[in-house]
Amino acid sequence: MSPRAGTMRLACMFSSILLFGAAGLLLFISLQDPTELAPHPAPGIKFSIRPQQPHNDLPPGSSQDGPFKAATERVTRDLSSRAPRGLSLRMSQDPQAQLNVGARLRPRQRRRRLLIKKMPAAAALPANSSARTLVRPAPGALDGRWASLRETQRERKRVMREACAKYRASSSRRAVTPRHVSRIFVEDRHRVLYCEVPKAGCSNWKRVLMVLAGLASSTADIQHDAVHYGSALKRLDAFGRQGILHRLSTYTKMLFVREPFERLVSAFRDKFEHPNSYYHPVFGKAILARYRANASREALRTGSGVRFPEFVQYLLDVHRPVGMDIHWDHVSRLCSPCLVDYDFVGKFESMEDDANFFLSLIHAPRNLTFPRFKDRHSEEARTTARITHQYFAQLSTLQRQRTYDFYYMDYLMFNYSKPFADLY
């Protein structure tokens, strides 16, 4: 063989190797789904805490590309990763938008996703996730109790959404403003948004959020004043519009509610039957001056001694002498559930089960449970249905009916039964 022929043969072999290599690289790239491979912050990951700059409203690890980049995929994947095996929490999504997203996926991308779903759970974990914070229950852990709690959540959200669709249809078309989210507290490490409903366990829930945020080691260490008058927890309205929308579209949103009459009596007992340097002079004096005939000079001076029927007169008066307060305002106005699509709806009446179920969904530390202690007036019995009936027995039938009408949307939206047989 001549030297020239040998050189040509070597050149051909080298060219063939390059072509095969290029073809293999193109095949590899075509099988990748950039959305699947892009790193997303996983819930439960303990981010390193750095002071937030005033101009940056997004949590650590978030991009500046806006809150809705791949929002549908990201929210669905986040909530799926939070739930125990077999549990699915559904976010509010546009079915047509979901259809369009699915239609845009190429066949190879679908195959790639199918392969990932069939992988063992550990193989699909993001590179920056922590095995300690992504603990899954054992296969037998999803017993009848977990399944019952999952079904309860589905039913509560269904009832709430149906009530919104029937009575507040226009709300879904309104834009979210800072006022709508002013009662929502933010916990960035576990990506939780909690809407505060006073007299429905809110003090202890804020303690839990502070422990989740690493601000305390135990809920028992946090005093009442630190919970209510400190600035450790941020409210959602403290962020800019981009930060608000980003968290609403990617965080787990939850609220806890309570039977409306019971919550009202609990608020009255707390604020008017004990010394209070704010509610007595601000609300008590105005109520006594308007609704008590021949009130004593001492009562008008201090605002103490308001009776429950007088308090209800104030509540139902369209020309109240003093404004509304969050402790007896409607939940539908405090948390805007027809505008903000909550992922989890808990109830005070089933607090222990609901709270611990929620904590398991967000992969909270296993030694963190919802505290049982009473925040104030611990020597006094909690307000129960029996105590509530005793207070409402002081009212006329008409007053009870009007109070029920006042809280009608809360009764309807959160599926509470009529507390008295004579109500219509």
Side-chain angles (χ1 to χ4, degrees):
M1 181 184 297
S2 67
R4 180 181 179 85
T7 302
M8 291 182 63
R9 184 174 181 179
L10 286 173
C12 289
M13 290 175 62
F14 183 69
S15 301
S16 300
I17 291 171
L18 286 177
L19 286 172
F20 276 112
L25 181 61
L26 289 172
L27 179 62
F28 176 78
I29 292 173
S30 67
L31 289 174
Q32 307 309 305
D33 181 0
T35 307
E36 293 279 0
L37 298 180
H40 295 290
I45 294 174
K46 296 187 179 300
F47 297 106
S48 58
I49 302 302
R50 299 183 179 88
Q52 287 192 332
Q53 299 302 320
H55 63 276
N56 183 8
D57 288 329
L58 299 182
S62 301
S63 73
Q64 297 290 341
D65 294 334
F68 299 111
K69 185 178 180 182
T72 304
E73 281 185 70
R74 186 166 60 247
V75 171
T76 305
R77 186 160 56 247
D78 288 346
L79 284 180
S80 299
S81 70
R82 292 173 198 172
R85 188 175 302 163
L87 180 66
S88 171
L89 286 181
R90 180 172 57 85
M91 290 287 288
S92 176
Q93 298 172 351
D94 182 356
Q96 187 61 41
Q98 279 190 314
L99 186 62
N100 292 340
V101 170
R104 290 197 299 270
L105 295 176
R106 298 191 299 272
R108 284 172 179 166
Q109 288 177 318
R110 291 197 186 99
R111 286 199 297 273
R112 173 67 178 167
R113 292 190 172 188
L114 185 60
L115 286 172
I116 290 176
K117 287 178 182 178
K118 289 183 177 179
M119 288 180 183
L125 291 177
N128 62 345
S129 65
S130 166
R132 184 172 66 83
T133 57
L134 289 176
V135 176
R136 290 285 193 274
L142 190 61
D143 55 12
R145 178 170 157 273
W146 283 111
S148 175
L149 290 169
R150 175 190 62 191
E151 187 56 38
T152 296
Q153 281 302 309
R154 287 178 177 167
E155 179 64 14
R156 287 175 184 172
K157 288 185 287 184
R158 181 192 66 78
V159 171
M160 185 173 68
R161 287 166 181 159
E162 285 184 358
C164 288
K166 185 173 182 180
Y167 294 96
R168 302 282 174 86
S170 61
S171 294
S172 61
R173 297 190 294 271
R174 295 165 61 191
V176 176
T177 67
R179 181 186 66 80
H180 294 124
V181 297
S182 62
R183 308 308 313 173
I184 296 180
F185 287 86
V186 179
E187 200 288 285
D188 279 322
R189 292 175 74 181
H190 292 77
R191 307 206 303 174
V192 171
L193 299 180
Y194 163 64
C195 185
E196 172 192 37
V197 177
K199 313 312 298 179
C202 70
S203 298
N204 281 338
W205 264 118
K206 286 191 276 189
R207 286 186 172 94
V208 169
L209 293 184
M210 291 172 75
V211 172
L212 288 173
L215 301 172
S217 58
S218 168
T219 55
D221 299 334
I222 308 172
Q223 299 300 313
H224 177 271
D225 286 356
V227 171
H228 291 285
Y229 307 119
S231 57
L233 293 174
K234 278 192 173 183
R235 297 177 191 265
L236 190 53
D237 64 348
F239 298 90
R241 179 169 178 77
Q242 188 180 17
I244 291 173
L245 294 179
H246 171 80
R247 286 169 175 82
L248 285 175
S249 64
T250 60
Y251 283 25
T252 303
K253 302 173 289 297
M254 67 101 165
L255 79 162
F256 271 71
V257 298
R258 187 175 184 178
E259 202 281 335
F261 278 16
E262 191 175 305
R263 176 173 165 251
L264 180 67
V265 171
S266 177
F268 173 78
R269 295 175 72 200
D270 180 27
K271 305 306 178 188
F272 295 100
E273 292 186 349
H274 300 276
N276 192 296
S277 60
Y278 173 74
Y279 284 91
H280 289 189
V282 174
F283 288 87
K285 290 167 70 171
I287 290 172
L288 292 171
R290 173 72 68 90
Y291 306 109
R292 181 179 293 182
N294 304 316
S296 70
R297 185 172 300 177
E298 179 66 11
L300 294 174
R301 184 182 69 82
T302 63
S304 300
V306 172
R307 301 177 188 125
F308 187 64
E310 295 166 339
F311 173 66
V312 171
Q313 278 185 280
Y314 143 79
L315 181 74
L316 301 177
D317 192 343
V318 294
H319 302 293
R320 298 183 191 96
V322 62
M324 183 57 68
D325 184 82
I326 61 171
H327 289 84
W328 45 82
D329 204 351
H330 316 80
V331 176
S332 54
R333 199 161 79 168
L334 291 171
C335 296
S336 301
C338 293
L339 188 61
V340 176
D341 187 24
Y342 288 91
D343 306 301
F344 192 96
V345 180
K347 289 193 173 184
F348 185 86
E349 294 77 16
S350 53
M351 177 64 80
E352 186 172 356
D353 279 347
D354 287 351
N356 292 327
F357 182 48
F358 177 79
L359 291 174
S360 74
L361 294 180
I362 64 168
H363 300 292
R366 291 193 176 183
N367 63 347
L368 177 61
T369 57
F370 190 81
R372 297 182 179 183
F373 58 82
K374 198 167 182 280
D375 190 53
R376 285 154 59 89
H377 318 304
S378 56
E379 73 288 347
E380 188 177 77
R382 289 186 185 274
T383 302
T384 61
R386 181 183 62 82
I387 291 175
T388 299
H389 275 247
Q390 291 174 357
Y391 277 80
F392 271 83
Q394 303 172 34
L395 305 181
S396 67
T397 303
L398 178 60
Q399 284 178 312
R400 285 201 300 269
Q401 180 64 51
R402 290 187 61 206
T403 308
Y404 177 72
D405 294 341
F406 183 83
Y407 288 110
Y408 179 71
M409 278 305 298
D410 284 359
Y411 273 99
L412 183 70
M413 196 172 293
F414 303 110
N415 203 23
Y416 282 108
S417 303
K418 292 179 183 177
F420 290 90
D422 57 358
L423 297 174
Y424 57 86

